Amino acid sequence: MHFHEKPNTYVTNVEIKVSDLQRSLTFYQEIIGFNVLHQDSHKAMLTADGETALLTIVQPKTVEDKLSMTTGLYHFALLLPSRRDLANVISHFQEKGVYLGGASDHAVSEALYLNDPDHNGIEIYADRPESEWAWHNNQVHMVTEPLNIRSILEEGDGNWLGLPAGTVMGHIHLSVSNLAEAEQFYTKGLGYDIVTRYGSQALFISTGRYHHHIGLNTWHSENAPRLGKNQVGLKTFSLRLDNEEQAATMKNNLRGIGAPVTEIIGGFQTEDPAGGNVVLLKF
């Protein structure tokens, strides 16, 4: 989990818009295993450890369905502390009859994929040991192979009590309209390193040689319009910064590529070329 600690620049919270707050709360508590940290009539902050909000769900006053092709969230990814925790999630999903959209072995990790009631994408995964990751010319080897669920279940104890306290927001994967523009924003503007490139349609970036803190792709969104303000889907995501010097450098770099920089309490905010709102939180 050291990839989700300073000095790395990692995702701390993802904020999504939903059409029915209560329906989403039921799903995220009973199926995913979150607890409510704070709630009001239109917003809920969800936690795994009772202290840190990993996911925030918001019901806009006027809600619109998402178009079939827009930029925005491809999925957010919850990183579990261990393979045993992943086994217990699988057993829980089997008991609940949860439909999975996918289950993949990525060489660096083992992952489950599903959607919430508004079709917001979710990944729940466990990393393989860092020592097993293969790097070639500073590119990490990742694949998409069938997940060996039987092997994982052998490590479970059937003791599903919700998301473990050590769960973190492992990464976020974004649908963008132009991969070259997104690459410039996230590498030159925010300082991420490219760790894997899949042709001209997908890019994975990180700090500290993680397999990825952010994924970017145009698989279903090339030249697509931005997500509407009131459409269900991604609202913001937050990144944790290391120090004041990094924040100042990042602001200068963002302004240098023409990205907006807006000061907010506790940090600043910017917007990527696809309309994604990125909140940069200080230390």
Side-chain angles (χ1 to χ4, degrees), residues 47-158:
T47 182
D49 63 6
E51 298 178 1
T52 305
L54 299 180
L55 181 69
T56 302
I57 55 176
V58 179
Q59 180 181 332
K61 291 182 179 180
T62 302
V63 184
E64 301 173 10
D65 290 335
K66 182 181 181 293
L67 299 175
S68 58
M69 285 184 61
T70 70
T71 60
L73 183 69
Y74 190 70
H75 62 243
F76 64 83
L78 299 169
L79 172 58
L80 303 173
S82 71
R83 199 170 193 245
R84 172 173 291 181
D85 296 315
L86 186 63
N88 291 339
V89 168
I90 293 172
S91 296
H92 164 66
F93 283 173
Q94 290 176 336
E95 182 179 329
K96 290 288 188 179
V98 173
Y99 172 78
L100 292 178
S104 298
D105 185 337
H106 295 302
V108 294
S109 63
E110 296 173 296
L112 310 173
Y113 297 92
L114 68 162
N115 291 323
D116 78 359
D118 289 294
H119 303 287
N120 291 304
I122 305 166
E123 175 182 346
I124 300 176
Y125 73 111
D127 276 336
R128 292 191 183 278
E130 182 184 356
S131 60
E132 296 181 9
W133 303 355
W135 291 83
H136 306 285
N137 298 320
N138 290 319
Q139 301 282 294
V140 67
H141 175 68
M142 292 198 293
V143 297
T144 300
E145 301 290 349
L147 189 64
N148 189 339
I149 290 179
R150 179 176 295 179
S151 171
I152 297 171
L153 286 174
E154 288 176 355
E155 297 194 20
D157 58 17

Side-chain angles (χ1 to χ4, degrees), residues 42 62 78 81 100 147 206 236 251 255 259:
H42 295 285
T62 302
L78 299 169
L100 292 178
L147 189 64
S206 76
T236 68
K251 290 177 189 178
R255 292 186 178 112

